[in-house]
């Protein structure tokens, strides 16, 4: 009996692996659901749609994006973390996966154990804008004003832990200034335009209103060097603050235990999409730089981002919200 049981178990395991392999080779045979844990029109949502529209054409199946915002992205991430790992439910991952781990002691998912980072779509910086009414024309002007009256200047964000918040904290620490954080659910750009808030780090991918406003002054971009979309704007490195470099990333992740063959296939077809000139042109207009790294490199990148975010939160004294 033990011998027969062993033979049966091995046979079942072999058949199961064969079935999984065949399924992976045939994937996809029907539409793929991609959960976007962020509001429609946000930087992450916009970038994802640009790339996945082309991916859908290449694989011959619709990529149905389901917007599921809430709790800083936690609702969307949690729903995918517990989905069937068959390659038909994916999630738009981003820098916020790291900040959510920092901000919440009890998440309904583990960003490391419950997901496989599949493909890094690209990175994009934030731009530092100030109210025209502030009179700031350069980063030096802003820093001088902050040091002259510590604790007086204010900066907006799209919420605690958002990319706008984290970029500003990097800048605050690098410049060694005392400024006050004022979070807004919608980002607070209107408040900066009206002069009620002094400055704001807004994601370049979502900065169309800021770039075209005569009520704002663009002081810098949070990148190592200038970016093609706004070539006349200096980088934070040029301004003298290399420690203020901040780049938001967007990617696609799958539930843990998704077959490696499916993960690799999705990665490769997305890389094909990222090499299409029309996609590259659209991403360039959003200020997004495609990454072009392997699945393994993306996994390493993700872990490094988690560590960097945890350090930033500690240095900036950002406490968990629950």
């Amino acid at each position: 009996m033990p011998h027969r049981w062993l033979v049966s178990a091995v046979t079942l395991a072999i058949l199961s692996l064969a079935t999984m392999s065949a399924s992976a080779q045939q994937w996809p045979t029907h539409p793929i659901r991609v959960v976007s844990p962020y509001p429609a029109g946000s930087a992450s949502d916009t970038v994802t749609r640009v790339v996945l529209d082309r991916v859908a054409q290449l694989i011959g199946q619709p990529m149905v994006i389901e917007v599921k915002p809430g709790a800083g992205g936690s609702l969307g991430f949690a729903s995918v973390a517990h989905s069937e790992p068959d390659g038909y439910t994916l999630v738009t991952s981003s820098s916020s996966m790291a900040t959510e781990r920092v901000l919440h002691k009890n998440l309904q998912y583990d960003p490391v154990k419950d997901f496989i980072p599949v493909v890094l779509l690209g990175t994009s910086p934030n731009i530092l804008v100030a109210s025209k009414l502030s009179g700031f024309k350069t980063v030096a002007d802003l820093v001088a004003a902050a040091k002259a009256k510590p604790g007086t200047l204010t900066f907006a964000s799209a919420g605690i832990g958002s990319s706008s918040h984290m970029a500003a904290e990097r800048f605050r620490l690098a410049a060694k200034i005392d400024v006050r954080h004022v979070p807004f659910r919608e980002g607070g750009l209107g408040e900066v335009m009206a002069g009620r808030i002094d400055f704001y780090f807004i994601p370049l991918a979502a900065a169309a209103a800021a770039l075209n406003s005569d009520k704002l002054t663009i002081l810098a971009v949070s990148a190592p060097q200038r970016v093609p979309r706004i070539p006349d704007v200096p980088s934070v490195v040029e301004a003298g603050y290399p420690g203020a470099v901040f780049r938001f990333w967007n990617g696609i992740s799958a539930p843990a235990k998704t077959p490696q063959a499916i993960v690799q296939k999705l990665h490769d077809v997305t890389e094909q999409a990222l090499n299409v000139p029309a996609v590259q042109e659209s991403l360039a207009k959003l200020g997004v730089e495609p990454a072009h790294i392997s699945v393994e490199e993306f996994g390493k990148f993700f872990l490094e981002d988690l560590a960097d975010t945890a350090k930033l939160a500690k240095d900036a004294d950002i406490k968990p919200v629950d």
Side-chain angles (χ1 to χ4, degrees), residues 27-28 30-34 59 61-65 87-90 266:
W27 180 92
H30 57 80
I32 299 165
R33 182 171 70 105
V34 184
I59 63 176
Q61 290 291 344
M63 305 284 283
V64 182
I65 298 179
Y88 290 99
T89 301
L90 308 170
L266 177 58

Side-chain angles (χ1 to χ4, degrees), residues 12-27 84-88 256-263:
L12 286 173
I14 292 173
L15 289 174
S16 177
L17 288 172
T19 301
M20 290 176 60
S21 177
S23 178
Q25 289 177 3
Q26 294 171 1
W27 180 92
E84 189 71 24
D86 55 8
Y88 290 99
K257 299 183 180 180
T258 298
Q260 184 60 37
I262 290 178
V263 169

Side-chain angles (χ1 to χ4, degrees), residues 171-191:
F171 173 68
R172 178 181 69 81
L173 292 170
K176 298 179 181 178
I177 54 177
D178 179 7
V179 290
R180 292 187 292 116
H181 175 212
V182 184
F184 294 89
R185 181 172 295 181
E186 300 299 328
L189 185 61
E191 295 295 299

